[in-house]
Amino acid sequence: MKAQKKLFGNGIAIAALSLLFLISACTPTNNGNSGMLNNDAASAVYVAPGEYDEFYGFFSGGFSGQVSVYGLPSGRLLKVIPVFSQDAEKSWGYNEETKPMLNTSFGFIPWDDAHHPELSQTDGETDGRWLFINGNNTPRVARIGLSTFETEEIIEIPNSGGNHSSPFTTENTEYVVAGTRFSVPYPQKDVAISSYEENFKGMLTFIKVDDEGHMNIAFQVLLPAFDYDLAHSGKGKSHGWTFFTTYNTEQSHTLMEVNASQNDKDFIAAINWKKAEEYIAAGKAKNIPGKHYVNRYDEATHTATSTLVNTVPVLTPEDCPGLVYFLPTPKSPHGVDVDPTGEYIIGSGKLSADLTAHSFTNMLSAIENKEFETTIQGVPVLKYDKVIGGVVKKPGLGPLHTEFDDKGNAYTTFFISSNVVKWKVGTWEVLDIVPTYYSVGHLMIPGGDSKKPQGKYMVALNKITKDRYLPTGPEMNHSAQLYDISGDKMKLLLDFPTVGEPHYAQGISADRIVSKSKKFYPIEENQHPFKALGEGQTKVERSGKTVHVYMTSIRSHFAPDNIEGIQVGDDVYIHLTNLEQDFDVPHGLAVQGARNAELLVMPGQTETMLWQPQREGVFPFYCTDFCSALHQEMQGYLRVSPSGSNTPLKWSLGEEEEEL
């Protein structure tokens, strides 16, 4: 690798260039298109009361660890879906049913950094079944069911550090992928950081998704110790391949802003996963240590379980010729995006003035003719001039991410010059440029990374919002800006603040989800082990210092609503079944002194709160979700006696009283 280095400049030059870029970010240019709101903008985004938005937009929450759902074009926040972070509103990660979802090999981890939502696809089109999202910090991938808008599964990714190039799907959701951002020692062990080149490796993971959405690690691919940044899978003619950007091909481990910007070109790693399947079938994979948890929520029992898996199958390029190729691409690429035909692979080199499109056809030809520059740890490096399909010349500063419409056009974000550039796929001519406010990262077009983009709107996801909204102290929420792309010119319609830091978003027409939406959970299908499917099944049971309360809720009372005989030091499990069979009628439960969170129980569901009373007394509980005109009357009491007391365990509703 050292012989391969081509110095781009010293640290002073890089610092000066960075300063120029930052200045440019605050003074966006527009090349004649102001992008400002016009008189028609308000009517273009107006959704009348009682009417629905045309699209769902799913936005990553970044450091919030969650996913937020917006209606487009209105920009209305519809829901926040808890995924990797505890959420007191919905008791996610607090109630006994969902705690297992946050288990990892490091223990219970109630937070992560969620970057990239990705919709499931069938034949290259978004299908409205599932949404996947990555956990970047403790490597994980989650799957959200779009009939319930709830997280149904989280799988941990071993042998990785920083799960950034994730969880992009293949054309039929055969796989979602997870590439390590940080190379780490392989196997993980105590080594000197200065031994980076000798002991560190990069790992790319392919996660198999079955027909029910269940995820399991199919295989991992062991690669050189680069940083693997983003990914997208092929489609159409390139189906069977997945492409990952890499940077830090210098294999630096300190002062990365200088030392990882030396080479003129880094790489796109092209993985032939069809070939990988052949090698797996031929027994080429080695099972290596890779402890990880697979956490699944069961819709029947309304309960999550955790399964520990200890090994993973790993393929190495030296043992598997034709599995991986490196495509040289201009320096420090971020996004890698595949056009709807599957022919062009767009590499966005952050420190390049040009935007490079690699040709899949040319790539196959270069492979067939063995047109290699060199080989790195068993991976052939294809010749740059043999794989190029076209170049968009000097469209902006700091290209990051590209998506596509249904008319053969591409749209690329430029972080440093704070704009979005529209250009023609195949002719490489710039068609339009609009400013963003400010420092745009990713963009989203509904279906924009699929074979059949739905187009119409483009959303820019901006990092800086100073002067856009009323000030809220030293920090302001990030900004999403909605553009109309139905015509020749992009038109700014709306901007709205977002939850957390939305690194990326996915959009889909509402008709692909609405028909699948669950209204309630049929009570007769409830298989929770502590369910009470009617007030006649409510009871309280003691076993030593453990008490189980089988409770129900319905407008507008709990059963039972008075419980006595609980003692200081007991573990009290309150299992609340919501008996409602009506859409949008959840019930909540809060108990004074509970050291976790409320419950929020959907119609037909059962959820469990662990309450551990610390002192004697009589403590109220009540419904936290407004459910009827008598919501305030929906309450009860828990009597707590001293530990070891003779107070009998009894419960009641109205005049009726039960005693153990």
Side-chain angles (χ1 to χ4, degrees):
M1 281 302 301
K2 291 183 178 178
Q4 200 186 7
K5 291 181 180 177
K6 300 176 182 178
L7 293 182
F8 141 86
N10 59 29
I12 296 175
I14 294 172
L17 183 60
S18 299
L19 179 60
L20 173 62
F21 287 172
L22 288 172
I23 293 171
S24 300
C26 295
T27 56
T29 59
N30 56 50
N31 286 14
N33 186 335
S34 70
M36 299 300 291
L37 300 176
N38 59 37
N39 293 333
D40 297 327
S43 61
V45 302
Y46 179 66
V47 178
E51 294 186 2
Y52 294 163
D53 281 283
E54 187 176 354
F55 292 92
Y56 286 99
F58 297 94
F59 291 57
S60 69
F63 40 68
S64 81
Q66 317 295 37
V67 170
S68 54
V69 186
Y70 294 85
L72 300 177
S74 73
R76 296 180 295 195
L77 178 63
L78 304 178
K79 189 180 183 72
V80 174
I81 304 172
V83 185
F84 297 112
S85 298
Q86 288 178 304
D87 186 309
E89 177 189 349
K90 302 172 184 68
S91 198
W92 177 260
Y94 289 105
N95 64 33
E96 298 305 299
E97 285 75 16
T98 60
K99 282 180 182 177
M101 296 296 284
L102 301 180
N103 285 341
T104 78
S105 61
F106 297 91
F108 178 83
I109 297 186
W111 174 84
D112 218 309
D113 185 17
H115 279 218
H116 306 123
E118 178 81 351
L119 288 160
S120 58
Q121 296 187 14
T122 300
D123 194 25
E125 289 189 63
T126 55
D127 57 27
R129 290 180 295 166
W130 307 305
L131 181 80
F132 301 90
I133 181 82
N134 66 320
N136 191 38
N137 184 62
T138 303
R140 288 176 278 183
V141 169
R143 177 179 54 82
I144 296 166
L146 293 183
S147 65
T148 60
F149 281 54
E150 293 184 356
T151 303
E152 296 180 342
E153 190 164 355
I154 298 178
I155 187 170
E156 187 181 4
I157 312 301
N159 303 314
S160 294
N163 174 38
H164 196 256
S165 47
S166 172
F168 304 98
T169 70
T170 54
E171 191 172 280
N172 292 294
T173 320
E174 297 96 338
Y175 298 97
V176 294
V177 300
T180 186
R181 174 181 169 187
F182 312 109
S183 289
V184 293
Y186 175 82
Q188 187 62 271
K189 56 188 174 182
D190 176 18
V191 297
I193 298 172
S194 59
S195 68
Y196 186 98
E197 290 193 35
E198 294 77 31
N199 288 311
F200 287 52
K201 289 286 187 180
M203 192 73 83
L204 307 183
T205 303
F206 283 70
I207 303 164
K208 188 68 176 175
V209 183
D210 70 16
D211 291 341
E212 294 181 330
H214 293 160
M215 299 184 291
N216 289 287
I217 293 176
F219 60 90
Q220 296 186 312
V221 180
L222 189 67
L223 289 178
F226 306 151
D227 290 50
Y228 296 84
D229 201 10
L230 281 174
H232 265 103
S233 291
K235 52 182 76 84
K237 64 176 64 180
S238 54
H239 178 60
W241 293 77
T242 299
F243 306 95
F244 296 80
T245 49
T246 74
Y247 65 97
N248 190 29
T249 53
E250 298 83 355
Q251 296 189 324
S252 170
H253 56 79
T254 184
L255 196 60
M256 300 283 285
E257 62 180 328
V258 174
N259 293 327
S261 303
Q262 301 295 309
N263 293 339
D264 284 339
K265 293 182 178 64
D266 291 290
F267 301 124
I268 291 172
I271 309 291
N272 185 339
W273 56 261
K274 292 278 192 181
K275 181 73 71 174
E277 291 176 336
E278 294 175 8
Y279 281 126
I280 294 287
K284 290 288 187 179
K286 299 175 182 176
N287 281 326
I288 61 109
K291 183 184 293 187
H292 63 283
Y293 275 91
V294 180
N295 307 323
R296 290 177 181 160
Y297 184 84
D298 188 312
E299 285 291 331
T301 63
H302 307 300
T303 302
T305 56
S306 293
T307 302
L308 178 63
V309 181
N310 288 305
T311 62
V312 287
V314 173
L315 299 172
T316 56
E318 292 91 340
D319 299 329
C320 304
L323 176 64
V324 190
Y325 297 92
F326 285 146
L327 284 63
T329 201
K331 60 192 309 134
S332 298
H334 185 59
V336 55
D337 305 285
V338 182
D339 85 303
T341 70
E343 170 62 19
Y344 295 111
I345 304 119
I346 314 302
S348 298
K350 298 193 301 290
L351 301 182
S352 171
D354 297 331
L355 192 63
T356 303
H358 303 276
S359 162
F360 180 72
T361 300
N362 291 350
M363 184 192 87
L364 292 184
S365 177
I367 291 171
E368 183 178 358
N369 296 324
K370 294 184 167 46
E371 294 172 316
F372 306 147
E373 289 183 359
T374 186
T375 298
I376 302 173
Q377 297 180 28
V379 181
V381 179
L382 302 178
K383 291 183 177 179
Y384 176 72
D385 60 350
K386 297 299 183 180
V387 297
I388 287 298
V391 176
V392 183
K393 292 289 188 180
K394 299 181 179 177
L397 296 174
L400 285 187
H401 174 224
T402 300
E403 291 208 345
F404 306 89
D405 66 16
D406 55 351
K407 302 179 183 68
N409 302 311
Y411 301 75
T412 301
T413 55
F414 289 82
F415 176 82
I416 296 164
S417 50
S418 288
N419 51 28
V420 175
V421 176
K422 176 182 178 180
W423 51 275
K424 192 70 176 177
V425 178
T427 67
W428 323 116
E429 60 184 311
V430 172
L431 303 176
D432 192 23
I433 301 177
V434 292
T436 60
Y437 305 94
Y438 306 96
S439 298
V440 59
H442 286 266
L443 60 79
M444 178 271 281
I445 294 170
D449 67 343
S450 71
K451 281 171 65 174
K452 294 185 179 180
Q454 296 187 280
K456 190 168 184 179
Y457 298 114
M458 181 266 289
V459 178
L461 302 166
N462 307 322
K463 304 299 185 185
I464 299 173
T465 54
K466 59 180 67 176
D467 80 25
R468 299 304 291 175
Y469 313 124
L470 288 172
T472 52
E475 185 211 16
M476 297 183 68
N477 276 10
H478 293 246
S479 168
Q481 293 188 298
L482 180 75
Y483 293 79
D484 181 347
I485 60 170
S486 60
D488 292 335
K489 298 295 183 180
M490 296 176 278
K491 296 178 182 178
L492 176 61
L493 300 178
L494 178 71
D495 62 15
F496 53 94
T498 56
V499 175
E501 182 182 356
H503 291 259
Y504 184 42
Q506 288 264 278
I508 185 172
S509 59
D511 62 333
R512 298 188 182 183
I513 290 180
V514 169
S515 63
K516 303 181 180 75
S517 185
K518 184 183 285 288
K519 304 300 184 184
F520 56 85
Y521 294 89
I523 195 74
E524 66 276 8
E525 296 177 7
N526 187 329
Q527 298 178 30
H528 192 288
F530 295 97
K531 63 185 180 293
L533 301 186
E535 292 182 5
Q537 296 182 15
T538 60
K539 57 186 176 180
V540 182
E541 295 180 337
R542 174 182 289 280
S543 176
K545 297 294 288 182
T546 299
V547 176
H548 289 279
V549 179
Y550 295 71
M551 182 181 288
T552 62
S553 60
I554 197 165
R555 287 167 286 187
S556 293
H557 63 266
F558 293 102
D561 62 3
N562 287 311
I563 301 172
E564 300 186 27
I566 293 170
Q567 300 178 15
V568 172
D570 281 347
D571 288 333
V572 182
Y573 292 92
I574 304 174
H575 311 285
L576 178 62
T577 300
N578 181 350
L579 297 179
E580 305 284 357
Q581 291 289 268
D582 193 6
F583 176 43
D584 196 26
V585 188
H587 287 297
L589 174 69
V591 181
Q592 183 179 357
R595 294 181 293 173
N596 35 40
E598 62 144 7
L599 296 180
L600 187 65
V601 189
M602 298 301 113
Q605 261 190 333
T606 301
E607 288 189 6
T608 303
M609 175 190 292
L610 172 59
W611 184 58
Q612 296 170 306
Q614 306 296 302
R615 63 185 74 163
E616 304 165 21
V618 177
F619 301 96
F621 60 88
Y622 66 98
C623 178
T624 54
D625 192 281
F626 197 95
C627 56
S628 72
L630 297 176
H631 168 72
Q632 289 296 96
E633 285 75 12
M634 193 168 175
Q635 62 188 55
Y637 290 101
L638 293 159
R639 177 185 172 188
V640 179
S641 300
S643 179
S645 72
N646 295 321
T647 305
L649 189 66
K650 59 183 180 180
W651 60 96
S652 65
L653 174 66
E655 299 301 320
E656 300 177 8
E657 184 173 289
E658 298 282 349
E659 185 171 329
L660 185 63

